[in-house]
Amino acid sequence: MDYFKKLIDLLKIEKDEDLNAYRRLTESSSVTDRRMNGLAWYPIAIRGTEMSRGDYLSVELERTTHQDLSHQFRFGASVALFSNHDPGKDRIEGTVTHVSGNKIKITLRSDELPDWSRDGKLGIDLLFDNNSYDEMQAALKEAAQRAENPKQGDLVSVLTGSSKPGFSDKKLHYSIPQLNAVQQLAVEKIIAANDLAIVHGPPGTGKTTTLVQAIKALIKQNHQQILVVAPSNTAVDLLSEKLAEEGLNVLRIGNPARVSAKMLSLTLDSKIADHEHMKEVRALKKQAAEYKNMAHKYKRTFGRAEQEQRKALFNEAHKIMKEVGNTEQYMIDQVVAKAQVITATLVGANHHTIRNLTFHTVVIDEAGQALEPACWIPILKSQKVILAGDHCQLPPTIKSVEAAKKGLSTTLLEKCVAIYPESVVLLEEQYRMHHKIMGYPSRLFYNNQLKAASSVAGKTLFTDDIPLNFIDTAGCAFDEKLEGTSVSNPEEAAFLLKHLTAYLLELVNHCPIDQFPSIGIISPYQQQIRCLKDLLQSSPELDPYKEYITINTIDSFQGQERDIIYISLTRSNAERTIGFLADIRRMNVAMTRAKQKLVVVGDSVTLARLPFYSDFIAYAEQEGVYNSAWEFMHD
């Protein structure tokens, strides 16, 4: 089918670009470079080994230096343990099974550690992520086969636009007191859908709350297991936690990003650790390890009898580990069968523990950020899919410009919203923003349908405070500077912090410091973020407030909120070039993080070439919240 052939081709373009980028970072780079890029830990120490299922060995490693460096090691990633004595030859591949702080557990495709592992200078490299691409490609190929032989009411034909979604005539009304009328409607639509329902959740509209109640209602109705997935570990964790708080039995597949006791208790490892057969498994593993240790005492240069003895000990160890494997599988099957909700990332939905399971319903949260090929992995396991998200916020991250342009950046959520409006419920009451902060995004992205709940509509930090402000730096000669591939504007950054300082000095008269509001400073540009952070460090007058201030890129603020948000738009040049400020969905995210005060700082002359910004400036003028930076320059 052409639909899937196109997606397979686009995925190949994306994989090639990703692989080339990985090679550029690693091929001729030293271990120091790889460590800086988050692709290696070095040096590391082995903290423990344990026999694993099959002939695999589980090894716990700890990085002993450079612990402050961020890294890209994740659950399920392919890695190589290496010796820096001879890194080309002395390396063995494995898979990450757990990451926590500076410790990592990997499973090696071997039943013992290589001899060189005892000589020090050890490290681990992150290998290219073939697994995710293989899983996505396999899902697309299977979906294409199903599309060639569609069954009646088949989910594949609905999602590709060949047949329409259906809804049950039976009116099932679950009255859920904590939901508003439209959220209640969304739950009823989800229950009534035979194959597809969509929850469009703009910022602050309670999408997660609605989904959690809908999942509870579906379990009550069908008494069947539900698969809940999202593109990021953070989104999966949030839903897992909320579902568990509602008393549901949740099984979190994979390694949570939030390493809290609450989150860890939902994982397979934790649930198996409490299983009645675990004692027996530990005893068997210990016995197998003892046989192996005895076998290692017989070196290969010994005579025939010793070799036979060594072989017998190894066979005994393998026999015991086979029994361990069977018992562990029995425990896993039991834990999985008991779960009412299984949660995972999109690719994690094909983890070996749940690979062969099918579900009545799959829920895909943050579907506006989900790459379509990845969505097909969980979809193929179910008869019905619930898509939840907001295609007016950040799209998925795509490395290949060509693949994005040819359609890989268009999500399944966007496609389905466009062709099946009857499946969509827009959550329209938002509980985050003052109505003036909400006004412009509502007009531009949500057809003026957003309403501010009465609890937030007129709420400001103090009487007579202005909730929205655009400060125009045009004519101030705040010129941007190009640094590498990023842009900064030091004068605009200094002005923003000066304005914030003056505002906080006024605010402290109305708020005691121990109840101080949260503050976010956002810019689309990494270099401007660095500039703002440096300036904040050297601003002693902001010292009392620093613990309340977060400075980061727009993408890092997705899903978060702050009482006060300052946005530094950064661009200011004679050519009126605005670069990726043209991605207005990103600006929607930035503006809608603010609860009670939003201050946008930018150069109207540079910005106004795009209608989005000229209309926003006109909105600010109309609301009487437009100022020129000149008004504050000589205070």
Side-chain angles (χ1 to χ4, degrees), residues 68 77 123 170 216 406 438 469 488 524 587 612:
D68 55 330
K170 279 194 298 189
K216 267 181 85 175
K406 287 183 175 172
M438 174 201 79
N469 198 194
S488 71
M587 288 316 299
F612 174 85

Side-chain angles (χ1 to χ4, degrees), residues 309-432:
Q309 183 64 24
R310 176 187 164 94
K311 195 175 165 193
L313 288 164
F314 268 129
N315 285 343
E316 198 55 41
H318 283 302
K319 214 189 295 176
I320 294 169
M321 285 312 291
K322 201 166 182 192
E323 197 182 328
V324 166
N326 293 338
T327 310
E328 282 190 331
Q329 193 55 55
Y330 168 76
M331 295 192 301
I332 288 167
D333 292 346
Q334 264 203 330
V335 168
V336 168
K338 273 186 191 162
Q340 292 168 294
V341 183
I342 292 176
T343 64
T345 58
L346 297 165
V347 176
N350 233 6
H351 187 256
H352 69 85
T353 48
I354 57 168
R355 174 159 287 184
N356 300 318
L357 294 187
T358 53
F359 301 85
H360 180 270
T361 304
V362 61
V363 177
I364 303 181
D365 192 19
E366 299 297 358
Q369 284 191 281
L371 210 57
E372 183 177 350
C375 290
W376 285 99
I377 299 169
I379 288 168
L380 292 174
K381 296 172 173 288
S382 65
Q383 302 161 37
K384 165 169 162 174
V385 65
I386 313 304
L387 298 175
D390 182 10
H391 50 288
C392 304
Q393 291 187 63
L394 286 178
T397 303
I398 294 171
K399 296 184 171 78
S400 162
V401 176
E402 183 192 351
K405 274 189 182 151
K406 287 183 175 172
L408 193 61
S409 60
T410 307
T411 59
L412 190 61
L413 177 70
E414 276 176 273
K415 292 177 184 177
C416 291
V417 166
I419 54 176
Y420 299 131
E422 68 275 22
S423 290
V424 183
V425 176
L426 171 75
L427 303 180
E428 53 192 36
E429 189 166 7
Q430 64 83 18
Y431 297 86
R432 177 182 295 163

Side-chain angles (χ1 to χ4, degrees), residues 52 68 95 171 229 249 251 267 386 400 417 443 492 517 524 529 548 586 610:
S52 188
D68 55 330
T95 307
K171 283 281 170 254
V229 290
N249 183 335
L251 173 61
T267 62
I386 313 304
S400 162
V417 166
R443 182 201 298 175
E492 181 178 291
I529 294 299
Y548 306 101
R586 204 171 237 108
L610 197 73

